[in-house]
Amino acid sequence: MKTAEIAQRYLDYFEKNDHVIVPSASLVTDDPSLLFTVAGMVPFIPYLTGVVPAPYARAADVQKCIRTNDIEEVGKTARHGTFFQMLGNWSFGDYFKEGAISYAWELLTSSEADGGLGFDERDLWVTVYEDDDDAAALWRRIAGLPEERIQRFGKEDNYWSTGQPGPAGPCSEIYFDRGPAYGREGGPAVDDSRFTEIWNLVFMQYSINNVRSKTDFDVVGELPNKNIDTGMGLERVAFIKQGVDNMYETDQVRPVLDRAVDLSGRRYGASHEDDVRFRVIADHVRSSLMLLSDGVTPSNEGRGYILRRLMRRTIRAMRLLGVDVPTFPELFAASRDAMAPAYPELARDYDRLSSYAIAEEETFLRTLASGSTILDTAVADTKRSGGASLAGAEAFLLHDTYGFPIDLTVEIAEEAGLSVDRDAFDTLMQEQRSRAKADAKARKRAIADHSVYREFRALGETTFTGYTDFETETRVLGVLVDGVSVDRATAGQTAEVILADTSLYAESGGQIADKGIIVGAGFELDVLDVQKPVPGLVSHTVEVKAGEVAVGHAATTIVDAANRRAAAQAHSATHLVHAALRDTLGKTATQAGSLNRAGYLRFDFSWSQALSAETKTEIEEIANTAVRDNLEVTTRVLALDEARDLGAMALFGEKYGDTVRMVDIGGPWSRELCAGTHVRTSAEIGLISLVGEASVGAANRRVEALVGMDAFRSLAAERALVAELTSALKTPREQLPARIAELSSSLKAAEKKIAALEARALGEKIPDLVARATREGNVRAVVQNVAGAASADDVRAVALQVRERLGAEAAVVALASVVADRPVIIVATNDAARAQGLKAGALAKAAAGVLGGGGGGRDDLAQGGGTDAGAVDAALDAVTRALRNA
């Protein structure tokens, strides 16, 4: 049974049983404490917790999920995968335990001919919470399960909560017995490899508080509305129904594995190590493709870092399989073909999605080449100094800065006869993880408990009137101070104010929040921010400037009209720039992020190379021509499918409901789904001036533009600057580029001549420096301040020549100078000095410490520096003392 068929049977069954079929939410969750949708219940949390009233009594879905906390286990077990799909059925105050158990048992055990999944009842076991006698009795009555196939577990395994005060409850898990070949008899309590969990039924029936840990909390009572939250792992059911050993061999994953086999020329099943690599590749390519399809792009932070890590682990695995040429064009195409029947958008958007993957592979292959050069140098230095182990700090630098995998570092070091100090590396890695966890914990603490918004959201959605009105009369529904609901806020306090209606735009879709005020009888509030903390609810962060605002007060929201008009100009200009980009570069140049504020826009788009000056001018001209043509801007609210049929662009990575707002500028010339505010005609934008274009990733570019009066002021300033230059250089405007190039060339020639003269003057000091050699300890030493050096390279050249002239006798040269207002010191030692244990790196480091900086290098030649130019003589004294004490 194909994976897609299992999912469809699930949805058909629950639709037949009066469940609303809900499409999968994005892998990119709205929850700021999560990077990704990590479980099927994440999109339903607002309904399960009661913060947002559920729009249906019962629902079912197939939810895309990503988990990376067990990434190191991928490929090693039958069930660990980064991307997976969770089948779920949900009841919000409707059916409870009996209904959930009945539905699960009927779907699992009904014959395939009757639309079920056809499991043999004898292969199924269940677990229940240790005190849940009701669930155990229902399993006996509904499923006829004998007592020995109903096992009881404690809170660690069979109790669910969010980890926060709120809803919680026992759960019941269904397991499939894979047979004696996979482990011992005795059920899930004995062997969870043989007995594989396929479905978890959560009975959300209690309210808890004083949560001290996952298993330590206070149950304060039963919930007034009990919910059902279930999750069945689609990949787990698929590998059981398809008769294969693990999820990597199912129909949606195996094609990538097979393509990796073809590319490597190695056989799957011949080697455990290679098999793990094949499975890692199959999992990570699919996971990467699905992340790309939901708007994540490779980067060095957050979600983009996770995607980059998955891709680079794939490249590394292919390298270990003997393939060091690009493979993503083949591997990603195989994943597309396997997944597109379930997710058609993968085929539709594949050219754009694959461009990110291919660019990332090209970049990392170059990184591996450069990292190998750095590693080769580190290995050579270690061997030259007689070391047997590469420093953990070196390995960590390669990993952290260059993305160079530790196992590759170990492999190359071992080939050179060295080990790697893994203890030091692991310590540094753990310190980094601890910092990251602390940061994440701090971010999570900074987020208010969203349950505080429950009572306000239960009153209905906030009505936004700002598309047509700059002022709106409303009433205060709630006041929050420091995340706590209170009845009022007084002058001088900062608070959140919840209103029934508002004309103030809440930040979304790249457009920042409106500025404005909220006024009422005896109070005035300065609006600092406007956000949507939970879907459908608008919260105004305000400073109480006068009086006090209380729940129930009448209030009027007043938008800063000038700021709003300028923001609308920028947002409409963004649409024009997007259309101009696609007109110039082609349909693959699509938006990948934006920011709009009064007078300014920033626009990211998928493109892999810099735009020429001619292309930027063309884009700017097309956009401003649309401004000149005074195109009509219209908006319509319609069904998502209807908007798509009309050609409206659903922007990459954005989330949309069933009903959307479509913005047309000039009819279909620019047609996008957008909830932002806009001008009435394009001429109101005034002017668009592109002021910047740069890379923001391997396959992403960013343009920045000023809009309206900000664009005019910028151009006026440039005009004034040109006028000043023409006057100062006594050159007509059209000849300025040539004149400036001429002056620049002359200046470079003069600087080069001066540098040569300074170097010659410094070189002429060599005989005098040699003559000043003194005996310090057991060596001849030249420890001098050579003022006037143009560069550290000049000081290095002189130091080497002085060392050469001192002959074979043990000698150390330490020369210092101030270059560009910063002190530098060069230390050189000869063979005889090094034989006595005098190392240039250690001496340079000692001197640099006096200069307020750092230093180091090879034993024969090293450099140090710092920030304290007045400490040069003291730094040289430190070298002299070190020599005398050696």
Side-chain angles (χ1 to χ4, degrees):
M1 189 181 292
K2 299 289 188 184
T3 305
E5 182 186 349
I6 296 169
Q8 194 57 54
R9 282 173 179 258
Y10 185 92
L11 296 177
D12 289 345
Y13 173 80
F14 281 103
E15 186 172 35
K16 182 178 67 177
N17 286 285
D18 303 320
H19 288 65
V20 175
I21 304 305
V22 179
S24 174
S26 171
L27 288 169
V28 178
T29 175
D30 291 326
D31 187 335
S33 67
L34 296 172
L35 282 178
F36 298 115
T37 300
V38 296
M41 53 83 67
V42 169
F44 294 95
I45 288 176
Y47 309 148
L48 296 170
T49 58
V51 173
V52 177
Y56 24 67
R58 49 176 72 183
D61 70 331
V62 181
Q63 176 59 48
K64 301 177 291 185
C65 303
I66 284 277
R67 287 183 192 165
T68 58
N69 54 324
D70 292 326
I71 194 170
E72 301 296 340
E73 297 304 311
V74 170
K76 299 176 183 178
T77 71
R79 60 186 185 273
H80 279 101
T82 44
F83 173 81
F84 61 97
Q85 299 157 93
M86 190 63 72
L87 305 167
N89 60 284
W90 313 83
S91 167
F92 306 103
D94 190 4
Y95 62 83
F96 198 49
K97 290 182 185 179
E98 182 172 1
I101 290 172
S102 297
Y103 286 139
W105 190 253
E106 181 178 35
L107 176 58
L108 285 173
T109 60
S110 293
S111 69
E112 293 182 13
D114 292 331
L117 295 176
F119 281 92
D120 190 324
E121 297 180 9
R122 294 170 297 182
D123 293 331
L124 299 176
W125 292 60
V126 301
T127 64
V128 298
Y129 177 56
E130 56 191 1
D131 294 336
D132 195 352
D133 296 330
D134 292 342
L138 287 167
W139 279 116
R140 289 193 296 269
R141 176 168 64 82
I142 294 169
L145 286 175
E147 193 66 41
E148 63 269 18
R149 286 186 17 228
I150 304 172
Q151 298 187 327
R152 295 179 182 249
F153 288 175
K155 286 179 180 175
E156 183 69 31
D157 298 294
N158 276 66
Y159 207 94
W160 177 91
S161 77
T162 63
Q164 302 285 336
C171 59
S172 179
E173 296 174 333
I174 305 172
Y175 287 78
F176 175 79
D177 181 1
R178 303 175 72 194
Y182 292 93
R184 296 175 293 166
E185 298 278 358
V190 172
D191 191 332
D192 66 354
S193 294
R194 169 174 169 172
F195 297 88
T196 299
E197 179 203 336
I198 57 175
W199 205 339
N200 186 17
L201 315 178
V202 176
F203 311 129
M204 212 172 292
Q205 64 186 107
Y206 298 115
S207 179
I208 63 172
N209 65 12
N210 299 324
V211 179
R212 295 170 289 276
S213 71
K214 180 181 178 180
T215 59
D216 187 13
F217 47 79
D218 297 335
V219 176
V220 295
E222 292 206 348
L223 295 170
N225 291 317
K226 298 179 175 63
N227 300 326
I228 288 294
D229 155 14
T230 85
M232 180 160 71
L234 179 55
E235 281 74 14
R236 295 190 184 187
V237 176
F239 80 69
I240 292 169
K241 293 299 295 180
Q242 293 172 21
V244 296
D245 283 344
N246 52 64
M247 62 170 285
Y248 314 103
E249 297 174 18
T250 60
D251 62 300
Q252 287 188 342
V253 188
R254 181 65 187 250
V256 182
L257 188 154
D258 289 339
R259 194 73 195 99
V261 167
D262 293 341
L263 292 168
S264 69
R266 302 193 188 184
R267 185 169 65 85
Y268 182 60
S271 157
H272 172 72
E273 289 79 8
D274 283 355
D275 287 353
V276 170
R277 291 163 189 154
F278 283 128
R279 293 193 285 263
V280 165
I281 292 162
D283 171 86
H284 286 8
V285 166
R286 182 172 79 140
S287 301
S288 297
L289 180 61
M290 298 307 296
L291 284 170
L292 286 166
S293 74
D294 275 354
V296 182
T297 55
S299 70
N300 286 329
E301 58 186 12
R303 299 180 178 96
Y305 175 75
I306 298 296
L307 173 58
R308 172 162 284 167
R309 187 180 180 202
L310 291 172
M311 289 184 176
R312 293 188 169 188
R313 279 173 58 87
T314 302
I315 297 166
R316 169 63 180 147
M318 288 301 299
R319 184 185 176 101
L320 290 173
L321 290 167
V323 183
D324 55 8
V325 296
T327 59
F328 278 8
E330 301 278 351
L331 297 175
F332 274 80
S335 188
R336 171 202 62 197
D337 295 343
M339 296 298 294
Y343 301 96
E345 63 271 19
L346 296 176
R348 184 180 67 241
D349 298 333
Y350 182 71
D351 287 346
R352 177 172 67 240
L353 306 184
S354 63
S355 68
Y356 289 103
I358 292 168
E360 181 65 19
E361 182 176 35
E362 292 173 349
T363 299
F364 188 51
L365 287 175
R366 289 195 297 270
T367 294
L368 287 176
S370 61
S372 295
T373 301
I374 295 167
L375 179 55
D376 289 344
T377 302
V379 166
D381 288 346
T382 302
K383 295 183 75 172
R384 189 185 303 112
S385 64
S389 179
L390 190 70
E394 293 269 14
F396 181 75
L397 174 70
L398 283 163
H399 166 84
D400 194 49
T401 304
Y402 298 97
F404 208 75
I406 180 60
D407 48 355
L408 183 57
T409 299
V410 170
E411 176 187 314
I412 293 174
E414 287 178 347
E415 289 172 356
L418 299 176
S419 62
V420 175
D421 187 347
R422 285 301 301 266
D423 289 342
F425 174 84
D426 291 340
T427 298
L428 291 167
M429 282 295 295
Q430 187 56 49
E431 289 174 357
Q432 185 189 63
R433 291 191 188 105
S434 298
R435 288 192 297 271
K437 285 180 180 178
D439 289 345
K441 202 169 184 180
R443 286 196 301 272
K444 195 168 183 179
R445 281 197 298 267
I447 299 161
D449 180 0
H450 283 185
S451 63
V452 75
Y453 300 107
R454 182 186 300 127
E455 63 179 288
F456 310 124
R457 183 60 181 81
L459 300 173
E461 295 192 17
T462 308
T463 302
F464 176 60
T465 63
Y467 290 133
T468 56
D469 301 320
F470 280 12
E471 293 190 16
T472 290
E473 295 182 357
T474 184
R475 62 190 176 89
V476 178
L477 301 180
V479 178
L480 289 81
V481 175
D482 296 329
V484 177
S485 181
V486 296
D487 65 343
R488 66 192 64 241
T490 59
Q493 285 189 299
T494 299
E496 286 183 72
V497 174
I498 313 296
L499 305 172
D501 319 272
T502 184
S503 56
L504 293 154
Y505 184 81
E507 180 178 349
S508 62
Q511 181 175 334
I512 68 171
D514 272 338
K515 295 180 180 178
I517 58 174
I518 302 171
V519 298
F523 68 84
E524 180 179 337
L525 316 176
D526 186 14
V527 177
L528 307 177
D529 195 12
V530 190
Q531 295 289 333
K532 296 178 180 177
V534 297
L537 187 75
V538 174
S539 171
H540 309 75
T541 300
V542 302
E543 181 182 351
V544 184
K545 303 299 288 185
E548 68 175 24
V549 57
V551 175
H553 276 176
T556 301
T557 61
I558 303 174
V559 175
D560 181 328
N563 182 78
R564 163 71 77 79
R565 277 192 289 269
Q569 286 176 309
H571 205 152
S572 297
T574 300
H575 286 219
L576 296 187
V577 170
H578 190 188
L581 278 164
R582 289 168 62 78
D583 192 23
T584 305
L585 303 178
K587 302 305 180 187
T588 59
T590 54
Q591 181 172 336
S594 67
L595 173 69
N596 310 286
R597 64 170 183 259
Y600 170 86
L601 72 86
R602 188 183 75 202
F603 185 87
D604 296 348
F605 60 101
S606 52
W607 198 250
S608 58
Q609 58 191 24
L611 303 184
S612 67
E614 293 78 9
T615 300
K616 287 184 283 188
T617 298
E618 183 179 358
I619 292 166
E620 192 175 51
E621 187 171 322
I622 291 171
N624 280 295
T625 298
V627 173
R628 179 204 64 189
D629 290 344
N630 199 24
L631 304 176
E632 184 180 12
V633 179
T634 60
T635 61
R636 282 183 282 171
V637 177
L638 64 170
L640 176 59
D641 290 342
E642 184 181 354
R644 282 179 169 155
D645 289 342
L646 290 170
M649 288 198 63
L651 299 182
F652 194 41
E654 288 290 326
K655 305 177 184 71
Y656 300 98
D658 294 334
T659 302
V660 294
R661 182 171 180 259
M662 185 173 75
V663 177
D664 285 359
I665 303 180
W669 187 73
S670 170
R671 178 169 285 169
E672 298 187 14
L673 304 183
C674 180
T677 64
H678 290 274
V679 297
R680 291 167 297 183
T681 67
S682 62
E684 292 181 19
I685 293 171
L687 181 64
I688 302 171
S689 175
L690 295 186
V691 293
E693 190 268 340
S695 169
V696 286
N700 268 350
R701 305 294 297 180
R702 170 176 292 170
V703 292
E704 296 177 276
L706 298 176
V707 182
M709 286 302 297
D710 288 76
F712 171 78
R713 295 186 188 101
S714 175
L715 293 175
E718 288 186 10
R719 182 177 60 191
L721 178 61
V722 169
E724 186 177 341
L725 287 172
T726 59
S727 175
L729 299 178
K730 297 181 173 54
T731 303
R733 184 177 65 175
E734 61 273 12
Q735 295 177 17
L736 276 177
R739 178 61 175 148
I740 291 172
E742 178 187 340
L743 291 172
S744 177
S745 178
S746 298
L747 179 61
K748 287 178 181 177
E751 289 173 342
K752 188 175 181 180
K753 187 174 182 179
I754 292 169
L757 290 171
E758 289 175 338
R760 186 185 306 163
L762 197 61
E764 290 172 352
K765 295 180 180 180
I766 292 172
D768 181 57
L769 290 170
V770 173
R772 293 189 180 195
T774 60
R775 180 155 299 278
E776 307 294 346
N778 296 321
V779 299
R780 290 184 71 197
V782 175
V783 184
Q784 294 291 326
N785 184 344
V786 287
S791 70
D793 288 342
D794 289 347
V795 180
R796 184 180 297 106
V798 171
L800 290 173
Q801 290 183 61
V802 171
R803 183 183 67 180
E804 184 70 21
R805 295 197 185 188
L806 289 175
E809 183 184 356
V812 174
V813 178
L815 303 182
S817 188
V818 177
V819 177
D821 297 326
R822 294 181 69 88
V824 63
I825 186 163
I826 303 293
V827 180
T829 62
N830 64 8
D831 291 340
R834 291 192 297 277
Q836 295 183 21
L838 294 171
K839 298 180 179 181
L843 294 170
K845 187 174 183 179
V850 178
L851 297 172
R858 304 195 308 267
D859 292 347
D860 62 328
L861 183 66
Q863 177 175 329
T867 57
D868 187 356
V872 168
D873 291 340
L876 292 170
D877 288 343
V879 175
T880 301
R881 285 195 302 273
L883 294 176
R884 290 172 180 171
N885 296 330

